Amino acid sequence: MSTSPASTPSDALAPFRPRRGRVVALGVVWASLLLFGLIAVIMPEQEGRWGVADRIMLFGLGVVIAALAWRYAAIVAIPSRDGLTVRNLVLTRTLAWAEIVGIQFGGGEPWVSLDLVDGDTLAVMAIQKADGEISGREASRLAALIQAFGEFREESSS
């Protein structure tokens, strides 16, 4: 029995997010802000060596580190009835289900890769092997969505 997208449960369309990597990244955000902020405040003021500008730049370095970690914590893949939006570390890409022909989650890759119609592959960093058994279930859920929406595409085009 094939599942059409109209009958797909809403929890099947829940966003994919890394778990362990997200926790670590959020920890780095707060630790960076607290550590660099504390150092900037208690840094001894020495004439000719450390001034207000140095304190601001030191705290600014902490903010930059926190911003990079925050971006890592924001990695997500959001499925919808129309397609999949993948937000990785640097780029965000929205794909229609018709553009996805397969999924890979094996070998030495740390996360899921999607095979696309144009012959390219796209990493989905939101499903990471570091999450253990959860990552396998999430990869299976994504594969089921690709198959279900792919079957619906095939049925509606005939």
Side-chain angles (χ1 to χ4, degrees), residues 15-24 126 128 131 134-135 138 141:
F16 298 95
R17 294 185 191 278
R19 298 206 174 32
R20 289 181 185 166
R22 182 174 166 84
V23 169
V24 170
Q128 301 180 357
D131 289 333
I134 294 171
S135 63
E138 291 291 80
R141 179 167 66 99

Side-chain angles (χ1 to χ4, degrees), residues 6-134:
S7 65
T8 303
S10 61
D11 60 339
L13 295 176
F16 298 95
R17 294 185 191 278
R19 298 206 174 32
R20 289 181 185 166
R22 182 174 166 84
V23 169
V24 170
L26 290 173
V28 168
V29 167
W30 292 110
S32 174
L33 292 175
L34 290 173
L35 181 65
F36 282 88
L38 182 64
I39 292 172
V41 169
I42 66 171
M43 190 166 151
E45 193 167 325
Q46 297 176 351
E47 196 169 318
R49 291 191 87 189
W50 307 109
V52 173
D54 297 306
R55 293 170 190 256
I56 292 170
M57 287 193 319
L58 184 65
F59 183 68
L61 177 61
V63 168
V64 168
I65 292 169
L68 290 172
W70 183 264
R71 181 61 185 181
Y72 188 87
I75 289 172
V76 66
I78 304 169
S80 69
R81 297 190 186 292
D82 299 322
L84 182 69
T85 300
V86 178
R87 181 175 16 176
N88 285 332
L89 193 57
V90 178
L91 299 174
T92 300
R93 185 165 175 191
T94 301
L95 301 166
W97 292 112
E99 295 179 71
I100 305 170
V101 295
I103 182 172
Q104 297 178 23
F105 191 53
E109 296 297 320
W111 41 69
V112 165
S113 294
L114 298 177
D115 296 322
L116 305 179
V117 167
D118 62 5
D120 201 7
T121 59
L122 176 67
V124 181
M125 295 175 70
I127 303 174
Q128 301 180 357
K129 279 189 184 173
D131 289 333
E133 292 179 18
I134 294 171

